[in-house]
């Protein structure tokens, strides 16, 4: 719960303009969960009192937060915290956390399970593996969080030599940097397909959705620089929490 202590002291030792300091203070409280999605922010007059500044200064701070998509306004009701919405630009291969950090979001992950298994045929085929025995993989299931709100279920499959080292790693962030920096695997290109559907029982459970809720289904096959497939993923995003943005060139 947020303290009722005035915030004036937080503004005294920084050379930044007051509205920027206030924006960053409120922004941090949104990102750390002090203010929850759809929660109403204190009124302009209350913020004016807390920070000891003019209403114009408060409005500048709120306007910047609105422009960043962190809050929204309701006529006559005030400002509310927006539900986080991830927007990933498809210009280069990057992990969810890498993409979100660049936009100022906090992105984390919770491991649901990690195990060796014999996968379905479509996974063996995608990873270019052999029969049932030689085709075993490491399956990693994780829930991804954006500003501490669950936004996706991620199911990833790795060949054994790629996946086994993951058992001893902290998987609360992106796996791509682990593959590159700790396993020494240079990443190359990925094939991505996107579809729409309804949340199955597993997605419903992990993301708190209902049977009729829409999800964005992303299938991604990542190769190393030599062209070997090393990571086959299925990403299930709640329908109102994620957007892919493409940039293409006719030439």
């Amino acid at each position: 719960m947020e303290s009722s202590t005035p915030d004036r002291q937080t503004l005294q030792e920084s050379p930044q303009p007051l509205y920027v300091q206030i924006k960053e203070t409120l922004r941090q409280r949104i990102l750390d969960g002090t203010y929850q999605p759809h929660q109403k922010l204190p009124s302009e007059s209350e913020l004016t009192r807390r920070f000891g500044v003019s209403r114009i200064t408060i409005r500048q701070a709120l306007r910047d937060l609105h422009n960043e998509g962190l809050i929204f306004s309701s006529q006559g009701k005030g400002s509310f915290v927006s539900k986080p919405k991830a927007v990933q630009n498809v210009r280069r291969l990057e992990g969810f956390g890498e993409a979100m950090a660049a936009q100022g979001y906090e992105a984390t992950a919770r491991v649901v399970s990690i195990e060796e298994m014999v996968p379905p045929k479509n996974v063996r085929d995608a990873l270019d593996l052999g029969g049932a025995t030689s085709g075993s993989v490491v399956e990693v299931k994780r829930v991804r969080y954006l500003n501490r709100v669950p936004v996706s279920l991620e199911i990833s499959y790795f060949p054994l030599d790629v996946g086994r080292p993951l058992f001893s790693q902290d998987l609360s962030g992106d796996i791509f940097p682990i593959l590159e920096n700790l396993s020494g695997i240079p990443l190359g290109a990925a094939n991505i397909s996107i579809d729409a559907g309804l949340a199955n029982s597993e997605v419903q459970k992990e993301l708190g959705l209902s049977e009729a809720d829409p999800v964005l289904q992303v299938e991604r096959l990542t190769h190393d620089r030599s062209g070997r497939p090393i990571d086959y993923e299925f990403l299930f995003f709640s329908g109102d929490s994620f957007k892919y943005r493409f940039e293409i060139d006719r030439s």
Side-chain angles (χ1 to χ4, degrees):
M1 185 175 180
E2 185 189 12
S3 170
S4 59
T5 303
D7 292 295
R8 300 183 187 189
Q9 289 185 337
T10 65
L11 307 178
Q12 293 178 352
E13 298 182 5
S14 173
Q16 292 180 310
L18 292 177
Y19 81 91
V20 174
Q21 296 180 54
I22 294 169
K23 177 194 76 170
E24 290 303 320
T25 298
L26 296 176
R27 186 174 188 276
Q28 183 56 43
R29 290 174 185 173
I30 292 172
L31 296 183
D32 69 17
T34 301
Y35 294 128
Q36 294 290 312
H38 299 153
Q39 180 178 345
K40 187 178 185 298
L41 290 181
S43 66
E44 289 184 2
S45 58
E46 173 64 15
L47 290 172
T48 296
R49 184 188 66 78
R50 290 189 187 185
F51 287 100
V53 297
S54 69
R55 183 165 294 209
I56 291 177
T57 299
I58 294 298
R59 286 177 176 171
Q60 284 180 301
L62 294 177
R63 183 170 60 246
D64 279 8
L65 292 173
H66 185 277
N67 291 338
E68 291 181 20
L70 291 174
I71 65 173
F72 65 93
S73 300
S74 179
Q75 186 66 34
K77 296 183 178 180
S79 298
F80 297 80
V81 178
S82 300
K83 181 177 180 179
K85 184 157 190 171
V87 178
Q88 188 158 357
N89 293 306
V90 184
R91 288 195 290 255
R92 60 183 294 270
L93 179 60
E94 59 184 356
F96 179 77
E98 292 173 312
M100 296 306 101
Q103 300 175 49
Y105 288 111
E106 176 191 74
T108 57
R110 172 177 61 84
V111 176
V112 176
S113 64
I114 176 170
E115 61 178 332
E116 288 189 22
M117 62 174 296
V118 176
K121 183 178 184 300
N122 66 316
V123 174
R124 293 199 304 271
D125 290 346
L127 292 176
D128 197 20
L129 304 177
T133 301
S134 61
S136 294
V137 298
V138 171
E139 178 195 70
V140 179
K141 291 185 179 182
R142 302 190 300 166
V143 174
R144 302 306 304 261
Y145 292 82
L146 190 63
N147 292 358
R148 308 190 186 185
V149 176
V151 295
S152 74
L153 174 65
E154 176 183 287
I155 304 176
S156 306
Y157 299 94
F158 305 90
L160 292 182
D161 62 308
V162 177
R164 279 176 173 165
L166 298 178
F167 280 91
S168 61
Q169 299 301 319
D170 177 5
L171 302 182
S172 62
D174 282 344
I175 291 180
F176 281 172
I178 296 176
L179 299 180
E180 289 181 312
N181 301 326
L182 296 180
S183 298
I185 300 173
L187 298 181
N191 304 111
I192 298 174
S193 63
I194 302 173
D195 199 0
L198 297 178
N200 61 30
S201 58
E202 186 174 26
V203 175
Q204 291 172 40
K205 173 187 174 183
E206 297 297 344
L207 301 186
L209 303 178
S210 69
E211 186 177 356
D213 284 333
V215 292
L216 185 69
Q217 302 169 168
V218 179
E219 179 182 338
R220 181 169 67 187
L221 178 61
T222 301
H223 304 77
D224 66 14
R225 202 166 294 165
S226 71
R228 178 196 177 195
I230 58 167
D231 179 6
Y232 189 39
E233 296 178 291
F234 296 91
L235 316 173
F236 302 90
F237 290 91
S238 54
D240 61 349
S241 66
F242 192 80
K243 179 192 295 183
Y244 261 120
R245 180 179 292 148
F246 295 85
E247 179 176 315
I248 58 176
D249 193 317
R250 184 175 176 86
S251 62

